[in-house]
Amino acid sequence: AQSVTQPDIHITVSEGASLELRCNYSYGATPYLFWYVQSPGQGLQLLLKYFSGDTLVQGIKGFEAEFKRSQSSFNLRKPSVHWSDAAEYFCAVGASAGNEKLTFGTGTRLTIIP
Amino acid sequence: SAVISQKPSRDICQRGTSLTIQCQVDSQVTMMFWYRQQPGQSLTLIATANQGSEATYESGFVIDKFPISRPNLTFSTLTVSNMSPEDSSIYLCSAGGTGELFFGEGSRLTVL
């Protein structure tokens, strides 16, 4: 069975600083990996996804993530955070691109301080 | 992309009652799913809504408690039956099948 671990429950970052959110997955085959963001009271918005090819993927809002098969990781990064990035971030893994039955991590809450 | 609308967006319900949540997608989609997000928790998949047939439920979820309908490729409903305070959650409809899973804004249920 597939699973996702987000080891950081809560991260606080100063505005303008860099960010890295960790995600580790467990899956027997090639995983399909996703990062979603959930702002307070909102649904989930897809930031980026990895299916195959280049292991560094670019997403919306200046985010990127790197797939490292050897480490079973898919960490999310942003070089300079903005106050509007404060939200809950979820990493997810799926079995295929045509059947997006996803398993989500527990989420990382990001707080931005001035 | 797909735009997903859910109704109601929030509701306060009495113990023992049932509530049906509607999910409308603005385009035909292959896959539709229902997730639950309990307070401060991540998303847990309840079931896959299958068009024209019975939903496929995940472990820990049963049809009697969470009956689901999907009469066509753009619409689904989830009923939360005989509610208890433990059912207080956000219920999210999602749609996929094109390499991306889209989410509605969720239905926040509070059971008293």
Side-chain angles (χ1 to χ4, degrees), chain A residues 34 36 38 42-44 46 49 51 90 97-102 104-106, chain B residues 31 33 35 37 41-43 45 58 92 96-101 103-105:
Chain A
F34 305 80
Y36 284 85
Q38 185 180 37
Q42 302 293 311
L44 275 74
L46 180 68
K49 60 188 177 186
F51 290 166
F90 293 96
N99 178 1
E100 290 82 12
K101 180 177 161 181
L102 301 185
F104 284 83
T106 50
Chain B
M31 312 296 295
F33 305 94
Y35 283 85
Q37 186 177 25
Q41 303 293 315
S42 184
L43 284 77
L45 181 63
E58 297 299 307
L92 294 127
T98 60
E100 180 173 341
L101 195 61
F103 284 86
E105 293 195 350

Side-chain angles (χ1 to χ4, degrees), chain A residues 75-90:
Chain A
N75 294 348
L76 181 71
R77 301 195 294 250
K78 187 170 184 177
S80 176
V81 298
H82 185 261
W83 64 266
S84 60
D85 292 325
E88 188 89 19
Y89 290 80
F90 293 96

Side-chain angles (χ1 to χ4, degrees), chain B residues 12-31:
Chain B
I12 299 174
C13 307
Q14 296 299 317
R15 183 195 301 257
T17 63
S18 299
L19 182 78
T20 296
I21 302 167
Q22 298 181 358
C23 176
Q24 179 73 55
V25 188
D26 70 343
S27 59
Q28 293 186 344
V29 291
T30 308
M31 312 296 295

Side-chain angles (χ1 to χ4, degrees), chain A residues 17 24 32-33 46 52 74 80 86-88 94 110:
Chain A
N24 292 96
Y32 292 81
L33 296 161
L46 180 68
S52 64
F74 188 57
S80 176
E88 188 89 19
L110 176 63

Side-chain angles (χ1 to χ4, degrees), chain A residues 26-108:
Chain A
S26 174
Y27 187 63
T30 300
Y32 292 81
L33 296 161
F34 305 80
W35 274 101
Y36 284 85
V37 60
Q38 185 180 37
S39 298
Q42 302 293 311
L44 275 74
Q45 181 182 23
L46 180 68
L47 288 175
L48 46 79
K49 60 188 177 186
Y50 171 79
F51 290 166
S52 64
D54 193 347
T55 56
L56 184 63
V57 293
Q58 302 297 320
I60 63 171
K61 305 185 179 185
F63 286 93
E64 66 177 27
E66 186 171 13
F67 170 61
K68 293 185 177 180
R69 184 186 298 275
S70 61
Q71 299 177 20
S72 297
S73 69
F74 188 57
N75 294 348
L76 181 71
R77 301 195 294 250
K78 187 170 184 177
S80 176
V81 298
H82 185 261
W83 64 266
S84 60
D85 292 325
E88 188 89 19
Y89 290 80
F90 293 96
C91 182
V93 63
S96 70
N99 178 1
E100 290 82 12
K101 180 177 161 181
L102 301 185
T103 298
F104 284 83
T106 50
T108 298

